[in-house]
């Protein structure tokens, strides 16, 4: 009787250990799978929408902030397709792209008082026109009016080897008081200089 009882108890213990081990292994694998899939989701941008984005930097004593909606290429023809040549473009999506500078600044030799402005462009194959406009609070370029332009400057687009999937603004510091506003999308990169006083 005692030996039979010991054998039964040993069998129950071994069975329990095996079952616990199997259960843990299964949940570990499940957790591992969930972790891998969430990592993949974070790493890959699958959004079809334009994403609210922002670029900010200081040049000299001035803080520059650009707010825009960033559309993606998604295999589309961008230049001469989604973005038509020789027309005013919001240089983003949805609301007008805004540039805000907390000190007086200069673009194209023109002094602009500190404040918030719209940033538009007119893309062409060989040359872009960069526009700083008074009317920053508008949808796309629906209310754009050339009479509200503060300054227009010309810029040469550069072709890049790598694709920038989403429209991107960068503010690069060059000297103590000057910098470049850089716009990159698809295989085009265009920039213009900004100076602070």
């Amino acid at each position: 009787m005692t030996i039979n009882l010991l054998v039964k108890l040993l069998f129950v213990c071994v069975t329990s250990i095996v079952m616990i081990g199997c259960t843990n292994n299964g949940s570990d694998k499940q957790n591992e799978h969930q972790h891998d899939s969430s990592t993949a989701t974070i790493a890959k941008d699958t959004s079809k929408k334009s994403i609210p984005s922002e670029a900010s930097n200081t040049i000299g004593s001035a803080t520059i902030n650009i707010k825009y909606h960033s559309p993606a290429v998604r295999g589309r023809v961008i230049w001469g397709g989604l973005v038509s040549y020789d027309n005013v473009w919001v240089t983003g999506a949805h609301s007008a792209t805004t540039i805000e500078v907390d000190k007086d600044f200069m673009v194209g030799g023109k002094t602009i008082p500190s404040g918030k402005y719209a940033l538009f462009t007119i893309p062409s194959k060989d040359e872009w026109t960069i526009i700083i406009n008074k009317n920053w609070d508008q949808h796309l370029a629906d209310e754009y009016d050339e009479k509200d332009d503060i300054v227009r400057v010309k810029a040469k687009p550069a072709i890049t080897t790598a694709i920038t999937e989403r429209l991107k603004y960068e503010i690069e510091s060059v000297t103590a008081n000057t910098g470049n506003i850089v716009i990159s999308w698809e295989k085009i990169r265009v920039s213009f200089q900004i100076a602070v006083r």
Side-chain angles (χ1 to χ4, degrees), residues 8 21 23 26 33 55 84-85 91 96 139 147 155 185 193:
K8 285 180 181 177
T23 305
H33 175 70
S84 60
Y85 286 126
T91 325
H139 178 260
K147 72 176 175 52
W185 197 24
Q193 189 180 72

Side-chain angles (χ1 to χ4, degrees), residues 76-196:
R76 298 176 291 182
V77 175
I78 301 301
W79 311 115
L82 184 66
V83 178
S84 60
Y85 286 126
D86 305 316
N87 287 309
V88 174
W89 177 40
V90 70
T91 325
H94 307 303
S95 302
T97 294
T98 62
I99 178 168
E100 189 168 10
V101 186
D102 65 356
K103 299 275 194 271
D104 291 356
F105 63 104
M106 292 179 71
V107 172
K110 170 99 175 180
T111 300
I112 303 169
S114 63
K116 190 173 185 178
Y117 302 93
L119 196 161
F120 294 104
T121 59
I122 302 174
S124 295
K125 285 183 180 179
D126 301 317
E127 188 176 61
W128 282 35
T129 302
I130 311 293
I131 303 167
I132 306 292
N133 183 278
K134 289 178 186 176
N135 186 9
W136 63 267
D137 187 13
Q138 60 178 296
H139 178 260
L140 299 175
D142 295 346
E143 299 168 44
Y144 170 79
D145 193 327
E146 190 174 342
K147 72 176 175 52
D148 291 326
D149 289 352
I150 295 171
V151 67
R152 286 183 169 214
V153 293
K154 300 293 186 181
K156 291 284 184 186
I159 297 172
T160 62
T161 53
I163 289 180
T164 303
E165 176 62 25
R166 284 199 173 272
L167 175 72
K168 182 179 182 183
Y169 281 84
E170 296 169 280
I171 304 163
E172 298 177 342
S173 182
V174 177
T175 69
N177 294 310
T178 65
N180 291 324
I181 307 295
V182 182
I183 305 163
S184 304
W185 197 24
E186 200 248 8
K187 287 191 170 183
I188 293 292
R189 176 183 165 98
V190 66
S191 68
F192 64 97
Q193 189 180 72
I194 183 169
V196 297

Side-chain angles (χ1 to χ4, degrees), residues 26-44:
S27 58
D28 284 348
K29 284 179 182 174
Q30 187 177 7
N31 289 338
E32 184 182 341
H33 175 70
Q34 287 173 348
H35 175 72
D36 287 348
S37 69
S38 65
T39 303
T41 303
I42 291 167
K44 189 172 181 183

Side-chain angles (χ1 to χ4, degrees), residues 3-16:
I3 291 173
N4 285 341
L5 185 60
L6 284 172
V7 169
K8 285 180 181 177
L9 284 172
L10 184 61
F11 177 76
V12 169
C13 287
V14 169
T15 305
S16 298

